């Protein structure tokens, strides 16, 4: 594939994300009192007994929702084959995405917690739009309505974009049926994977409760993040520093992997506190899928394509 296939969809995502991000910044500037008295009332909330209505256990139970803001950043690597310079574009895109999300998430929490009581905020499906309604400005309410819509579209478009590339890669190596590994003859995109995933995304978006969709996505991401540090530790053991040439060597290995593993454990416990049934259902689902792959699908995998790097045999093999 080439970079033209992904350029249009990511440019569209950039534009609507920029509009949504601008809406969040405008809401903050309008309500924070920078240009005069603002409606935010953080001081009253902190002085009230309901500042932490469920104590620090409630903070821990909400930890996994913080992951939602950053879930999918790792999906930038799925476009590695479709950019002109992966070595330049991927680090820049990843860091730019993390900074954008960090700023937007902080502003969202600050404004929404300052405008809405916790009883309402905990059940709000569109907190930014509700915050704009409470600001008393009709123009701001319309702008945030558009921003909320664009943010939703950007999230859905990004999920379909990176998920379709993942399905394409697995189809190409026969982890999934090879049908998903087809590339469009003109646009050079994994069009079959995209067409297959769009109705699935619509079903989840229109037919499932938002918190359930968010929780399942978070749990799937948590599994990925849990396997990631384990694989990093195993990789270093199988190919020590003196066996292959590395583009980067982390000076504090394996400390970052251990920290990530600990955070994942806390997040799983946080999910259990509020969504224990979904946690059990998700684990059961992935166990069944793993058994299906091990006993049936793996026989069709293109095993010769799994190890194409000119590396020595891993230590212990």
């Amino acid at each position: 594939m080439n970079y033209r296939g992904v350029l249009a969809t990511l440019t569209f995502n950039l534009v609507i994300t920029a509009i949504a991000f601008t809406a969040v910044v405008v809401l903050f500037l309008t309500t924070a009192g920078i240009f005069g008295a603002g409606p935010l009332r953080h001081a009253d909330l902190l002085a009230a007994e309901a500042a932490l209505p469920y104590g620090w256990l409630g903070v821990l139970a909400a930890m996994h929702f913080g992951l939602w803001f950053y879930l999918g950043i790792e999906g930038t690597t799925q476009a590695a084959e479709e950019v002109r310079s992966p070595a330049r574009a991927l680090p820049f895109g990843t860091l730019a995405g993390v900074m954008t999300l960090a700023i937007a998430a902080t502003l969202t929490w600050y404004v929404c917690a300052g405008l809405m009581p916790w009883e309402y905020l905990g059940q709000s499906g569109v907190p930014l739009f509700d915050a704009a309604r409470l600001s008393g400005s009709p123009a701001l309410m319309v702008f945030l309505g558009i921003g909320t819509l664009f943010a939703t579209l950007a999230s859905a478009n990004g999920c379909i974009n990176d998920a379709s590339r993942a399905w394409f890669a697995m189809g190409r190596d026969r982890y999934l049926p090879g049908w998903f590994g087809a590339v469009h003859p003109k646009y050079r995109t994994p069009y079959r994977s995209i067409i297959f995933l769009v109705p699935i995304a619509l079903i989840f978006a229109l037919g499932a409760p938002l918190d359930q969709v968010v929780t399942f996505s978070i749990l799937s991401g948590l599994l990925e993040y849990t396997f990631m540090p384990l694989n990093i530790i195993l990789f270093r053991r199988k190919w020590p520093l003196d066996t292959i040439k590395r583009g980067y060597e982390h000076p504090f290995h394996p400390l970052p992997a251990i920290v990530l593993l600990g955070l994942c454990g806390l997040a799983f416990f946080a999910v259990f506190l509020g969504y224990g049934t979904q946690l059990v259902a998700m684990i059961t689902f992935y166990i069944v899928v793993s058994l299906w792959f091990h006993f049936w699908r793996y026989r069709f995998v293109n095993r010769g394509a799994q190890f194409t790097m000119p590396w020595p045999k891993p230590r212990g093999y």
Side-chain angles (χ1 to χ4, degrees), residues 130-152:
D130 290 338
R133 291 171 55 193
L134 294 174
S135 69
S137 172
L140 189 61
M141 184 179 66
V142 173
F143 189 29
L144 263 294
I146 296 173
T148 301
L149 175 62
F150 281 2
T152 305

Side-chain angles (χ1 to χ4, degrees), residues 6 10 75-83 86 90 161-162 165:
V6 77
L10 293 187
T76 54
T77 58
Q78 301 297 341
E81 296 183 33
E82 300 177 76
V83 296
L90 295 186
N161 181 76
D162 60 26
R165 270 66 184 179

Side-chain angles (χ1 to χ4, degrees), residues 43-81:
D44 297 336
L45 291 173
L46 291 175
E49 293 182 359
L52 286 177
Y54 297 106
W56 288 104
L57 185 63
V59 175
L60 176 61
M63 176 183 175
H64 67 290
F65 284 111
L67 266 147
W68 177 250
F69 279 97
Y70 309 97
L71 199 65
I73 282 293
E74 71 285 346
T76 54
T77 58
Q78 301 297 341
E81 296 183 33

